[in-house]
Amino acid sequence: MDAGKKKRFIIAAASWLIIIGIIGLVYKFVVEPWLRGDLVKETSTQRYAHTIKVAHDSFPGYAILRSPAVQNLLDRQGIKLTFVDDKADYVGRARALKSGKVQMAVFTIDAYLKTGSVIGEFPGSIVLVIDESKGADAIVAYKRGVPQIPNLSNPRARIVLTPDSPSETLARIMINKMSLPSLPSSWAVETNGAEDAYKKLKSADPDDPYAYVLWEPYVTKALTIDGVHLLLDSSKLKGYIVDVLVVQREFLDSQRELVTHVVQAYLRANYDYNNQPDGLATLIQADAKQYGDPLNRNETDKLVKGIEWRNTVENYAHFGVIPSTESKGTERLETMIAKITQVLVQTNSVSSDPVSGNYEQLFFEGILRSLHHDKFHPGMLNASGNDGLDDIFAGTTPMEQVREEEVLNPLSDTNWNTLAPVAAMKVDPIQFGRGNARILPGSERALKELAANLKSFPQYYLRVVGHTRQEGDPAANRVLASQRAEAAAQSLKDFGIASHRIRAIANTRTSNQMRGGAAQSVTFELLGKPY
């Protein structure tokens, strides 16, 4: 064989060896695993026809969604929820929703607004309101360093918090709504979670003007430290720190029935746990052991008290499925989104409204509207008997109700004097006619916005303080100050604030820190019952 033929023979042989090798590798790593997987599939039980991935973190408010009751109900539909813990990486959570790596995710409304602003779109639609924080988030401080919120109006003041969390939003609400003119622009000190903030609190100098934003169980732990007290917690707010279930838009469009099953299962489990003695406490302890840090009974009870899980009818109210006459003052979802957006924009957390006021783009009411139309009852079996909890008997359980906000009681003069000062509300100066108590038209908008803010702080009373210039006749000045305070108070009442929540007084002094601006003709002081 000549050299040329020999060379071609070697090349051909080598090529065939390479081809055979590639075929062998393909068989070993592709075909054989596929055949084995097919064999496993054919010789094992396939319980679940659908698996839905849900992005979450260890917050106890999501315990019902993660509960055995929800999964037991979904088992009957061949649906399995798989939870993906992203350690509260909200931007990563939104991107996973966008890419389809997860089909559902839980967010606070503020977190979803901020992450949507970061990634430039909102890849999912809100289909359910899960809960609202009612004390589970709080701002604390050493009393020596920060005896009251106005003491944070100090160039040295700082607020220690977890960035991109509901605790940061709580701080921003305080800054946005309360007068703190000397708080520096560099007010935030970032930490890696509530535990880290708690450790910084423990090692802090009690005389420093520092506040710390925590969530349970670290709020309870913090308040056991000598000298630490509560400045503000989420029980005093309404419609700000709210958790929602978000579904990827493509999945919601193509798999509406699956999403409906998840929503139904959640609402049924919520009904069940809330109607069992210690049902929520038992669930929270088991959930914390599995997904977070173990809790003792005192910490568990504080958590249960500090979270208000939304029931079926309250969801109907939030999504506008039932008339406002049946909603008992429950805020619509678009109202909550709008006011949270305002806080984020005005405190420079986002540069602008990410949806330009089109808040309906962020939620879908169709599933809840269908449930309402079909007379869905979370405590009753449906006609086929497939979707109920076994220990709830059809026809024997009452329908849930919308819970009304606790109403402040009228106070006697003596009781008004026992209220603790909280802070001055941040309000544009109220303008009056020269030398009289006629409110100028340009100030009506400021008073209307103040009334809206007061509705979001339903657990506080308000003292309207009228001020005048110190020149001139003191008696006449006092009369004018009183008339102006009364005029501003009446305007707030006209905008829907209960008259017994407001008291108008005259004060010609100009040095009181609580007034938040002595040059203003009228100022507004929040008052509350001591914590």
Side-chain angles (χ1 to χ4, degrees), residues 52 115 216 525:
I52 300 173
T115 55
E216 291 289 10
E525 301 171 0

Side-chain angles (χ1 to χ4, degrees), residues 143-184:
K143 202 164 190 175
R144 280 163 49 184
V146 188
Q148 296 175 344
I149 289 175
N151 295 99
L152 291 171
S153 185
N154 180 334
R156 293 179 52 241
R158 298 291 185 274
I159 302 174
V160 182
L161 50 76
T162 303
D164 299 321
S165 72
S167 67
E168 180 184 349
T169 300
L170 179 59
R172 290 185 179 278
I173 293 165
M174 177 182 71
I175 292 168
N176 182 243
K177 304 303 179 187
M178 301 180 184
S179 182
L180 300 170
S182 297
L183 181 72

